[in-house]
């Protein structure tokens, strides 16, 4: 009775706990994207998929032994995680009350509520093939739920326009524009170029897939404002076929112990000129730093 066979019908779920922490993940929006309710943040696809699998595959392992019923029920009354699962109705289809794991960590104590009727008998639940308790899959922290994707275009044809700027090398800045089946390349002065490798330009657009940040930097206001007042070392502007534009400013981080004077591993970005600063790893972003000279035709071929 705990499981939901048609997970495609789920439109949102809300997780709360006895520490007064709550989060709701929903796809009730125009684009049907899973987002953190009340924000513009996409929810982590991996975390959503994990819960959908749990909603579908959860099973009752066994009844709670009579000798432990009162103890487990009392524990569930004091400390639990509440998971409300919604479809089209304003009332939840099912509500789970998730307690602690069993001593062997092969099961999780839970109560089920349906049609506003809460069971007074707890059960031991599990997911076949999984070792460990289910409660760790349900968390309420917004940073834990927030997707770290910055660019995630699996189909590069969805990208209409890209502008790339290098503060220290402006002559190698450029823009790419898609017109039907063609890709047009312009230099830093907005002049249309003709002598360039079209295949390399098209291939470059495929790199805007699985580009992430890895940490939200909670800088003090003074440090944050100081960094935001400096021109970014790199600038990306991307517009897609849904007319969504995303602007990324990227700053290098000073490192006096590095021979270059800069941190080789990490940089900091903001998105759409927000004051929120996010840390990125260059090994994930380096592929986007192609200069204009990279697209020139190889005349030796």
């Amino acid at each position: 009775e705990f499981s939901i066979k048609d997970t495609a019908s789920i439109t949102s779920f809300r997780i709360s706990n006895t520490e007064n922490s709550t989060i709701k993940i929903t796809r009730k929006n125009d684009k049907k994207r899973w987002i953190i309710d009340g924000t513009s943040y996409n929810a982590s696809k991996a975390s959503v998929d994990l819960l959908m699998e749990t909603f579908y595959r959860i099973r009752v392992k066994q009844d709670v032994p009579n000798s432990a019923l009162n103890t487990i029920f009392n524990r569930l009354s004091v400390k639990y995680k509440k998971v409300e699962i919604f479809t089209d109705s304003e009332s939840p289809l099912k509500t789970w009350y998730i307690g602690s794991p069993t001593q062997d960590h092969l099961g999780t104590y839970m109560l089920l509520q349906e049609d506003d009727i809460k069971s007074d008998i707890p059960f031991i639940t599990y997911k076949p093939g999984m070792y460990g308790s289910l409660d760790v899959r349900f968390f309420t922290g917004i940073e834990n739920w927030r997707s770290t994707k910055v660019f995630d275009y699996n189909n590069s044809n969805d990208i209409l326009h890209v502008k790339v700027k290098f503060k220290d090398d402006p002559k190698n800045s450029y823009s790419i524009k898609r017109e039907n089946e063609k890709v047009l390349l312009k230099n830093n002065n907005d002049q249309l170029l003709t002598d360039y490798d079209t295949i390399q330009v098209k291939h470059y657009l495929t790199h805007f897939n699985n580009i992430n940040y890895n940490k939200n930097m909670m800088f003090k206001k003074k440090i944050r404002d100081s960094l935001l007042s400096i021109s970014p070392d790199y600038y990306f502007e991307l517009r897609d076929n849904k007319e969504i534009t995303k602007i990324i400013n990227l700053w290098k981080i000073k490192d006096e112990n590095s021979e270059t004077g800069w941190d080789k591993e990490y940089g900091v970005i903001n998105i759409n000129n927000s004051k929120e600063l996010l840390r990125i790893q260059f090994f994930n972003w380096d592929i986007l730093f192609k200069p204009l000279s990279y697209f020139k035709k190889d005349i030796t071929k």
Side-chain angles (χ1 to χ4, degrees), residues 257-290:
N257 296 319
S258 170
E259 62 271 18
T260 63
W262 302 99
D263 192 320
K264 294 181 178 180
E265 186 173 358
Y266 297 112
V268 175
I269 67 168
N270 70 355
I271 301 175
N272 291 338
N273 298 313
S274 75
K275 291 190 175 182
E276 181 182 54
L277 294 172
L278 309 169
R279 190 179 73 178
I280 60 96
Q281 291 179 284
F282 281 120
F283 83 85
N284 182 232
W285 284 72
D286 275 346
I287 200 167
L288 300 183
F289 300 153
K290 304 296 186 187

Side-chain angles (χ1 to χ4, degrees), residues 3-4 7 10 46-59 96 127-128 130 137:
S3 67
I4 297 173
T7 56
I10 297 174
S47 296
V48 171
D49 289 347
L50 188 66
L51 290 201
M52 290 298 154
E53 181 199 30
T54 306
F55 293 150
Y56 179 76
R57 297 192 62 202
I58 190 172
R59 298 289 184 271
W96 296 356
K127 186 176 79 68
M130 171 190 167
R137 296 188 170 200

Side-chain angles (χ1 to χ4, degrees), residues 53-94:
E53 181 199 30
T54 306
F55 293 150
Y56 179 76
R57 297 192 62 202
I58 190 172
R59 298 289 184 271
V60 171
K61 186 180 182 71
Q62 65 183 70
D63 295 342
V64 175
N66 287 333
S67 58
L69 268 176
N70 287 337
T71 299
I72 299 303
F73 187 79
N74 288 335
R75 286 180 184 174
L76 274 165
S77 300
V78 174
K79 188 172 183 179
Y80 56 82
K81 293 179 180 178
K82 181 180 180 182
V83 182
E84 299 166 278
I85 307 163
F86 299 85
T87 52
D88 288 329
S89 173
E90 293 298 318
S91 299
L93 175 69
K94 296 186 182 188

Side-chain angles (χ1 to χ4, degrees), residues 25-53:
I25 311 300
T26 181
R27 57 177 168 186
K28 289 185 177 180
N29 54 74
D30 293 341
K31 299 179 179 62
K32 303 300 180 184
R33 293 182 292 115
W34 285 107
I35 65 171
I36 300 172
D37 192 45
T39 77
S40 59
Y41 301 145
N42 288 339
S44 164
K45 183 178 184 301
S47 296
V48 171
D49 289 347
L50 188 66
L51 290 201
M52 290 298 154
E53 181 199 30

Side-chain angles (χ1 to χ4, degrees), residues 119-156:
S119 170
D120 56 1
I121 301 175
F123 293 91
I124 298 174
T125 63
Y126 78 116
K127 186 176 79 68
M130 171 190 167
Y131 176 84
S133 63
L134 297 175
D135 68 304
V136 296
R137 296 188 170 200
F138 298 88
F139 39 83
T140 57
I142 190 168
E143 288 302 324
N144 301 111
W145 267 107
R146 183 178 171 184
S147 172
T148 60
K149 299 289 184 186
V150 178
F151 294 119
D152 192 28
Y153 290 92
N154 292 316
N155 185 354
S156 63

